[in-house]
């Protein structure tokens, strides 16, 4: 019970209590708008009113083998190439595997060749994406994800 109380106190520390009516009034007065980052995937952009909203956590779920990781990686790369800052959590693939897929996709090199260290002589360094950070920890908790995201200070 103490562990739950501790978790709850951490979860809600720094949060404020406000009525929905007051929040709505504040929103209308401030005319604040969310920043939208197009994903480069038309169906997702259409579904999410133009793209993903900043400062939000998006989790892609589904059965194995449906392409979640490939889709999430492509969205992350597209947003980073457009100048957005991406914090990418991978519970299945290492940062090395993600880098191999990125190099394969950007240079049209078969993934098997890259995994075996076979590269054409004319391969240049891929476009540097220092605004796409990868955390490849399989057992990361939701609280750790929140802490990592807050550490970015965006």
């Amino acid at each position: 019970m103490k562990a739950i109380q501790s978790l709850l106190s951490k979860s809600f520390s720094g949060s404020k209590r406000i009525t929905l009516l007051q929040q709505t009034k504040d929103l209308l007065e401030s005319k604040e708008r969310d920043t939208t980052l197009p994903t480069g995937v038309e169906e997702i952009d259409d579904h999410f009113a133009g793209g993903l909203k900043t400062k939000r956590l998006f989790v892609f779920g589904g059965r194995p083998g449906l392409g979640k990781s490939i889709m999430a990686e492509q969205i992350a790369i597209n947003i980073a190439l457009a100048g957005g800052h991406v914090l990418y959590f991978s519970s299945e693939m290492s940062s090395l595997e993600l880098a191999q897929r990125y190099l394969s996709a950007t240079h049209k090199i078969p993934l098997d060749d890259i995994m075996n260290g076979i590269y054409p002589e004319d391969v240049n360094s891929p476009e540097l994406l220092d605004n796409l950070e990868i955390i490849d920890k399989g057992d990361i908790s939701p609280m750790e994800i929140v802490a990592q995201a807050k550490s970015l200070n965006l």
Side-chain angles (χ1 to χ4, degrees):
M1 185 65 163
K2 285 184 181 181
I4 292 173
Q5 289 173 334
S6 173
L7 181 63
L8 289 175
S9 67
K10 289 179 186 174
S11 297
F12 295 112
S13 64
S15 61
K16 65 179 183 176
R17 190 172 177 171
I18 189 169
T19 67
L20 181 59
L21 177 62
Q22 185 59 51
Q23 185 66 61
T24 303
K25 285 180 181 179
D26 292 350
L27 177 65
L28 292 172
E29 287 175 11
S30 72
K31 299 194 185 328
E32 254 183 61
R33 299 293 176 254
D34 287 334
T35 302
T36 302
L37 298 171
T39 65
V41 180
E42 186 177 343
E43 293 82 4
I44 292 175
D45 291 344
D46 289 347
H47 183 77
F48 287 103
L52 303 180
K53 307 302 180 233
T54 59
K55 300 186 183 203
R56 303 279 200 304
L57 172 66
F58 294 90
V59 177
F60 296 97
R63 300 185 112 188
L66 293 178
K68 298 175 302 294
S69 297
I70 292 170
M71 180 186 66
E73 184 180 358
Q74 190 58 56
I75 289 170
I77 290 168
N78 290 346
I79 289 174
L81 286 172
H85 196 112
V86 178
L87 185 56
Y88 186 98
F89 293 91
S90 176
S91 63
E92 295 174 352
M93 282 189 275
S94 70
S95 57
L96 174 62
E97 290 171 294
L98 291 167
Q100 289 171 330
R101 285 177 176 232
Y102 174 67
L103 189 61
S104 174
T106 57
H107 287 80
K108 309 290 187 236
I109 304 168
L111 185 57
D112 287 344
D113 287 355
I114 291 173
M115 294 172 82
N116 291 315
I118 301 168
Y119 306 98
E121 290 181 22
D122 61 342
V123 172
N124 297 326
S125 296
E127 184 167 344
L128 298 177
L129 293 175
D130 62 353
N131 54 340
L132 196 166
E133 298 181 47
I134 301 168
I135 296 177
D136 61 355
K137 182 180 177 193
D139 61 345
I140 194 163
S141 72
M143 293 304 286
E144 289 176 283
I145 291 173
V146 169
Q148 290 285 344
K150 285 183 176 180
S151 74
L152 290 177
N153 282 330
L154 297 177

